[in-house]
Amino acid sequence: MRVGEVAERAGVNVETLRYYERRGLLPTPDRAPSGHRVYDEETVRFLRAIKEAQAVGFTLAEIADYLNAARRSGSASETLRVRAAAKIDEIDGRIGALRRMRDELARVVGCGCTSLDHCTCGAAYLARRGKEPAVRTTLLHVTNGESAGNTLRQTTLGGAVLSWQDVLHEGPVQALPRVELIRTRARFLAECGWGSEPALRSSLERRDRQLLDAFRDGAEVVLWFEHDLYDQLQLIDALALARSVGAEPELIVIGAFPGRPSFAGLGELTANELETLWPARTRATAASLAAAAEAWAALCEPEPAALTELAARDDPHLPFLAPALRRLLDELPSPRDGLSRTERIALETIGAGARTAPAAFVASQRREETPFLGDTWFFRTLSALGQGENRLVEGDGAPLPPPPPLSDGQSFMRLELHVTDAGERVLRGEANRVALLGIDRWVGGTHVTHG
């Protein structure tokens, strides 16, 4: 075959084929007496194989490296498995970064800012070339996430909105200088697949800076939070930071809303409903700031004793904190079976017929007095229970993959889940989760390990 026919049949152009030859991917072809290059069916097949490898993410350099390694080792299949596993790790990293990009884009889409001078969204930050706002806001709303944040931007209240985004009931929250704590949190979130460590660290630092700048400039700062564990930990974090600089923000902290008997959070309210809460805001008192600082310090301690004491003591200044701390302490391993409350509920709901990760998540949330856990963090719990020979749960008869965003979320959510015999024994109290699986988990500043 002549070069044009080979290129057409393989789906490449002639220049691409010749480029592959120059790079050494294709052997130099024989020549006909006329001097033209002569190719065969093997060349067509090889070109198609290269295109397929590129389609799943391999670069030409990686393909060339693989071919050289395969020639040296003599085991093409084993070499490809090793290279493919490395490529999967790389793709998983990209998935985490893409998820973070999607979240930030969703924040920009939902942002109702009318001026780039003071808005906290990513579009405004980029438009200012990474600079702080030239015009300081006179009103800053601080809330738990983008759902409530974007609705606040649609109200007539004005001001800028800052989302206090960190899932403080997961990963280490230690008694460290603030800059070191942020580095630790960024490292943990990056390991969970939520983006690069430098980008996450920059985002958390900018969040803190925006709050402190608002306090310094004398802006009205209003903290909008609700009653669940996720929010209450963020609330004491923000209040402790406020107390450290002598600031007294205003508070809108609720656990119910009229006409919504199953109130789950601020994110489900409309802009008009959020505005009805505005007149009821109150100034944080010295007592409430001191209580928050005490709770934050207890959360960061390496032992849970102080946290346990606070959880047993209802504080009128922070009325939703004690129940939230009690729920956090339930994430410590039970002396009976080594399970956290989330793990036990997960196994029980799967055993009761919730056969997929999403179904188990929904069923688990129904059993919470105050739902606080996002689905991806629930999937992380499931994945930890589904590892190794002694796994307590499995999907399609095999160990569970890493949780999204460290793996393909759609595949993870399609797995058919079953509690294993080991899982059944643990639920009956006949075996211990920690003894079977080991443990390496943080609950605030308490590092729970085994072995």
Side-chain angles (χ1 to χ4, degrees), residues 1-4 6 14 17-18 21-22 27-32 34-39:
M1 283 181 286
R2 299 280 290 273
V3 63
V6 172
V14 172
L17 189 153
R18 287 175 175 160
E21 288 178 356
R22 291 196 299 273
T28 303
D30 294 331
R31 290 184 179 270
S34 62
H36 293 108
R37 293 180 175 88
V38 178
Y39 300 89

Side-chain angles (χ1 to χ4, degrees), residues 352-394:
R355 294 302 185 199
T356 65
F361 171 69
V362 171
S364 295
Q365 292 302 283
R366 291 193 185 118
R367 293 182 52 177
E368 295 282 358
E369 295 86 353
T370 305
F372 69 95
L373 196 65
D375 56 357
T376 53
W377 297 103
F378 178 81
F379 299 157
R380 186 170 181 264
T381 296
L382 280 183
S383 180
L385 295 175
Q387 303 298 311
E389 294 182 0
N390 295 324
R391 58 187 177 273
L392 309 188
V393 63
E394 58 189 16

Side-chain angles (χ1 to χ4, degrees), residues 219-236:
E220 181 181 11
V221 177
V222 185
L223 307 184
W224 298 70
F225 288 95
E226 58 218 32
H227 56 311
D228 63 66
L229 172 60
Y230 178 86
D231 277 48
Q232 289 296 299
L233 295 184
Q234 291 186 347
L235 176 62
I236 62 171

Side-chain angles (χ1 to χ4, degrees), residues 68 90 106 135 170 230 232 239 268 280 324 358 364 366 404:
N68 290 332
E90 178 187 329
V135 178
E170 295 282 345
Y230 178 86
Q232 289 296 299
L239 285 175
E268 69 182 27
S364 295
R366 291 193 185 118

Side-chain angles (χ1 to χ4, degrees), residues 89-379:
D89 290 341
E90 178 187 329
I91 290 170
D92 286 342
R94 291 179 189 172
I95 289 171
L98 287 170
R99 280 183 175 272
R100 182 165 178 79
M101 289 165 59
R102 185 195 182 283
D103 289 344
E104 185 61 26
L105 288 171
R107 181 185 178 195
V108 172
V109 169
C111 183
C113 65
T114 57
S115 171
L116 298 179
D117 290 332
H118 66 266
C119 186
T120 65
C121 80
Y125 184 63
L126 179 60
R128 295 193 302 264
R129 299 176 181 269
K131 296 179 181 178
E132 298 304 325
V135 178
R136 299 297 187 183
T137 182
T138 58
L139 171 60
L140 179 67
H141 307 279
V142 183
T143 190
N144 60 6
E146 288 311 320
S147 180
N150 284 334
T151 310
L152 273 170
R153 294 183 181 102
Q154 297 166 24
T155 67
T156 62
L157 299 174
V161 178
L162 177 63
S163 295
W164 204 258
Q165 291 182 312
D166 196 359
V167 55
L168 294 166
H169 56 75
E170 295 282 345
V173 185
Q174 299 159 275
L176 298 168
R178 191 71 182 185
V179 64
E180 293 298 326
L181 176 61
I182 284 179
R183 286 193 184 118
T184 300
R185 294 300 300 168
R187 187 179 310 117
F188 166 72
L189 294 169
E191 289 169 354
C192 293
W194 292 105
S196 72
E197 184 178 334
L200 289 162
R201 184 174 66 247
S202 176
S203 177
L204 293 173
E205 289 172 345
R206 181 156 54 97
R207 177 205 66 186
D208 277 13
R209 191 165 60 248
Q210 287 168 336
L211 178 64
L212 294 174
D213 283 349
F215 287 143
R216 183 197 65 202
D217 295 339
E220 181 181 11
V221 177
V222 185
L223 307 184
W224 298 70
F225 288 95
E226 58 218 32
H227 56 311
D228 63 66
L229 172 60
Y230 178 86
D231 277 48
Q232 289 296 299
L233 295 184
Q234 291 186 347
L235 176 62
I236 62 171
D237 184 15
L239 285 175
L241 200 57
R243 187 173 188 260
S244 71
V245 296
E248 296 180 349
E250 295 176 327
L251 301 176
I252 296 175
V253 183
I254 64 172
F257 190 85
R260 292 184 179 267
S262 300
F263 174 73
L266 294 166
E268 69 182 27
L269 301 183
T270 66
N272 288 337
E273 288 173 327
L274 287 177
E275 288 192 32
T276 66
L277 299 172
W278 185 249
R281 67 194 186 282
T282 58
R283 177 74 59 183
T285 64
S288 60
L289 290 166
E294 181 187 11
W296 180 256
L299 174 69
C300 297
E301 286 192 11
E303 298 291 337
L307 208 57
T308 302
E309 181 182 341
L310 286 177
R313 187 178 78 215
D314 289 327
D315 190 325
H317 304 291
L318 297 171
F320 303 116
L321 181 59
L325 295 182
R326 289 194 287 271
R327 183 60 187 87
L328 177 65
L329 290 167
D330 284 343
E331 291 306 284
L332 292 169
S334 165
R336 175 178 178 269
D337 52 27
L339 293 169
S340 71
R341 178 174 167 181
T342 298
E343 290 174 332
R344 185 178 300 104
I345 292 175
L347 290 176
E348 289 174 350
T349 55
I350 294 168
R355 294 302 185 199
T356 65
F361 171 69
V362 171
S364 295
Q365 292 302 283
R366 291 193 185 118
R367 293 182 52 177
E368 295 282 358
E369 295 86 353
T370 305
F372 69 95
L373 196 65
D375 56 357
T376 53
W377 297 103
F378 178 81
F379 299 157

